Amino acid sequence: MKQKLGVLGGGYVGLAVAVGFAERGFPVVLVESSKARFKALTQGSFFSSEGDLVQAFEKVKEDGMIHITSRVEDIQDISYLFVCVGTPEGDQGETDLSYLWAAIEQCSPYLREEACFIIKSTVPVGTGDQVQAWFDKQGKAVQVLSYPEFLREGKTLEDFRQPSRIVIGGDVNHPRVMELRQLLAEYSLPLLLTSRRDAEMIKYAANAFLATKISFINQMAQLCETLGTDIQTVAKGIGMDPRIGQAFLAAGIGYGGPCLPKDVASLMEQGRKQDLEMPILAAVARVNHDQRRWVRNQLRKQWGQLKGHVLAIWGVTFKGGSEDVRESPAVWVLEDLLKEGVHLQLYDPYGLESLKELWESRGVLESYAGQVQWAKTCWDSLEHVEGLVILTDWQEFKEVDLHRLKTVLPSSLIIDGRNLFYPSMMKQLGFKYISVGRKV
Ligand code: UDX
């Protein structure tokens, strides 16, 4: 039997880490302190869009490889604790580390000597050193490591199984670190050992670079629209250069989600604290924000005033394959349309419940009731609308029966914020098809 591991936090990252190690034969103790999340984990009602993860979770539970608990005391006999708590954005773009510090204080009495406290959460550069100093001050011989996650929502388990790289920051000569290295070596995964600070920085720089690619291509899309060139062809053409690559060059309504926006903001804030302005990142965030207005601008070109019009909206989540609506550009766009007085018939394969919860938590659900209808299928959303707006790149939308769509959408107007279809084909089918940065 392999040695027992601990995971603190049962969100997307924590669950993928716990299941990923459990299916490799490590018994895992998964500690979740939130009552609601604990209940969801034990009852299996969570992350409906992460099919692989949910299936693998059920399997390792059945095999007795994972023990879910709300008691932090249960980590007592563990040598490696992977800490996967949330580090949300504070009011000024700074990172809110309150969950991390609460976890440290709760765990400290139960961490055995020589245990590794492994920070998977995204934390500002220097945080790992501060946590190490805290343990040192307590006289506790705990090794703090930074082991940032690069998992994508919707593909968390796939990314855990086959990561592009594993970055571990800490004292590389420490016996526990060498042991961890050996433990991972068995899986022949690309491994980079570095300092804690470098590991923390790698995570931010990676996400900021991905955000930069997206804002760059969106800026190019804006220019393509005015010059009559085609962003898809341009992206393909530049991406064929291996120094640039095809990934993250899909123009659309901008990036969102729980990571990219907050990590760009946090990096700028970390720069500000060092009196360093970061104009590239400021531009990345600004282009991303402005890109969300694309839908409203297109509708204005069609109708002038938007008040009173009725639209179907396909997609509310921040990307296809995830039920997450946190920092979703789709939500920003549809709220923008609601402010303009548009009536919306919303459909999303997995995200509607998350959106209801979000609006309920903000106290706005009731106020939108007169303007919003919740559709059970994409077809239901199309009844008596004047057009369709696509805001998320769900596979279901890409595979929709376009002939049927043409018959149930009398106006033929489609505003596609995710460039899901070929403009020439849509034209042939008789749609009035408007997409981002492409010729009609
Ligand atoms: C991201 C990183 O990819 C991952 O490595 C890190 O661990 C967590 O943050 P995630 O937030 O799951 O993952 O989403 P990602 O797939 O990166 O997409 C982020 C946003 O960018 C989405 O809103 C998506 O729609 C948008 N996007 C992505 C584009 O607009 N164009 C693209 O070409 C790619």
Side-chain angles (χ1 to χ4, degrees):
M1 176 76 90
K2 291 181 173 170
Q3 61 174 299
K4 202 195 268 184
L5 307 175
V7 175
L8 197 69
Y12 289 95
V13 176
L15 196 64
V17 171
V19 170
F21 277 121
E23 64 178 18
R24 283 179 187 161
F26 296 92
V28 172
V29 175
L30 173 60
V31 186
E32 176 51 69
S33 55
S34 138
K35 277 191 186 141
R37 179 64 58 81
F38 178 77
K39 195 172 160 209
L41 284 173
T42 44
Q43 293 179 351
S45 55
F46 58 94
F47 305 154
S48 36
S49 63
E50 297 260 0
D52 286 358
L53 179 62
V54 174
Q55 217 179 357
F57 177 57
E58 292 307 326
K59 169 91 173 59
V60 292
K61 247 186 357 184
E62 242 173 67
D63 295 346
M65 294 303 293
I66 198 161
H67 169 57
I68 308 162
T69 176
S70 56
R71 293 158 32 97
V72 77
E73 300 90 294
D74 293 351
I75 61 166
Q76 286 186 77
D77 54 347
I78 276 162
S79 304
Y80 295 98
L81 180 66
F82 295 86
V83 181
C84 309
V85 294
T87 49
E89 186 177 337
D91 296 337
Q92 307 299 318
E94 80 286 6
T95 308
D96 175 359
L97 293 175
S98 54
Y99 296 115
L100 178 72
W101 283 105
I104 292 164
E105 286 182 17
Q106 281 160 15
C107 292
S108 178
Y110 306 106
L111 275 174
R112 67 198 264 186
E113 290 290 307
E114 301 294 327
C116 273
F117 186 89
I118 304 173
I119 303 175
K120 291 231 31 105
S121 312
T122 305
V123 293
V125 176
T127 305
D129 287 356
Q130 284 166 15
V131 177
Q132 183 68 69
W134 189 90
F135 280 120
D136 293 349
K137 208 167 150 201
Q138 308 288 309
K140 193 117 195 170
V142 166
Q143 267 300 303
V144 177
L145 300 181
S146 166
Y147 179 171
E149 59 82 17
F150 302 103
L151 312 176
R152 292 162 299 169
E153 275 191 26
K155 295 193 169 148
T156 50
L157 190 58
E158 184 187 321
D159 285 349
F160 183 86
R161 287 171 178 158
Q162 280 305 321
S164 52
R165 75 289 203 196
I166 287 180
V167 177
I168 297 183
D171 176 358
V172 292
N173 296 315
H174 193 276
R176 275 263 179 259
V177 180
M178 295 207 269
E179 196 187 7
L180 178 63
R181 188 181 175 172
Q182 263 168 7
L183 189 144
L184 293 167
E186 202 184 313
Y187 306 97
S188 332
L189 302 169
L191 185 63
L192 176 66
L193 292 177
T194 176
S195 70
R196 278 190 290 258
R197 294 174 74 88
D198 283 350
E200 289 161 345
M201 185 66 188
I202 286 168
K203 173 63 198 268
Y204 280 106
N207 273 357
F209 191 72
L210 293 174
T212 304
K213 279 188 100 174
I214 299 168
S215 278
F216 176 83
I217 207 68
N218 282 332
Q219 181 91 86
M220 291 302 115
Q222 290 167 13
L223 192 59
C224 280
E225 272 167 32
T226 58
L227 295 178
T229 44
D230 185 294
I231 194 63
Q232 208 104 337
T233 313
V234 172
K236 192 172 176 192
I238 63 173
M240 285 164 87
D241 182 335
R243 292 172 301 173
I244 298 175
Q246 299 285 354
F248 276 70
L249 290 181
I253 53 166
Y255 61 81
C259 296
L260 263 48
K262 110 176 144 66
D263 292 353
V264 170
S266 170
L267 207 46
M268 280 197 283
E269 175 61 17
Q270 291 177 60
R272 258 194 296 277
K273 282 196 178 137
Q274 306 300 321
D275 287 330
L276 182 69
E277 260 192 65
M278 305 191 85
I280 293 180
L281 294 186
V284 166
R286 198 183 131 200
V287 170
N288 193 53
H289 188 266
D290 291 351
Q291 191 66 12
R292 298 169 178 193
R293 298 207 176 95
W294 179 86
V295 172
R296 190 213 302 162
N297 293 342
Q298 299 309 318
L299 287 168
R300 282 244 168 90
K301 280 185 206 162
Q302 298 299 315
W303 296 332
Q305 278 298 317
L306 305 190
K307 198 168 185 307
H309 285 282
V310 186
L311 281 170
I313 298 280
W314 284 6
V316 303
T317 61
F318 83 101
K319 65 171 183 179
S322 165
E323 69 263 68
D324 203 336
V325 295
R326 285 175 289 174
E327 292 297 318
S328 169
V331 173
W332 194 97
V333 170
L334 63 92
E335 286 177 350
D336 185 43
L337 296 177
L338 289 169
K339 275 185 219 130
E340 294 279 335
V342 183
H343 290 257
L344 301 178
Q345 300 184 179
L346 306 180
Y347 173 69
D348 187 286
Y350 288 101
L352 294 187
E353 282 311 308
S354 318
L355 180 59
K356 279 183 196 163
E357 275 168 31
L358 178 79
W359 280 353
E360 202 146 35
S361 71
R362 286 202 211 140
V364 296
L365 185 63
E366 287 293 305
S367 63
Y368 288 143
Q371 259 176 288
V372 168
Q373 280 189 36
W374 307 85
K376 285 202 167 62
T377 69
C378 63
W379 303 111
D380 290 348
S381 72
L382 296 166
E383 275 177 31
H384 314 299
V385 296
E386 294 160 81
L388 163 65
V389 175
I390 302 174
L391 298 177
T392 309
D393 54 343
W394 281 102
Q395 194 60 28
E396 179 182 330
F397 305 157
K398 291 180 196 166
E399 291 169 359
V400 78
D401 178 347
L402 290 170
H403 293 280
R404 181 172 171 196
L405 185 58
K406 182 73 186 64
T407 57
V408 296
L409 192 62
S411 73
S412 304
L413 176 65
I414 299 181
I415 310 275
D416 182 358
R418 293 295 182 178
N419 290 357
L420 301 189
F421 308 110
Y422 291 110
S424 53
M425 184 180 71
M426 298 303 275
K427 195 176 171 186
Q428 227 172 34
L429 286 167
F431 285 106
K432 184 164 200 183
Y433 179 67
I434 298 164
S435 56
V436 183
R438 299 193 298 178
K439 283 179 267 184
V440 182

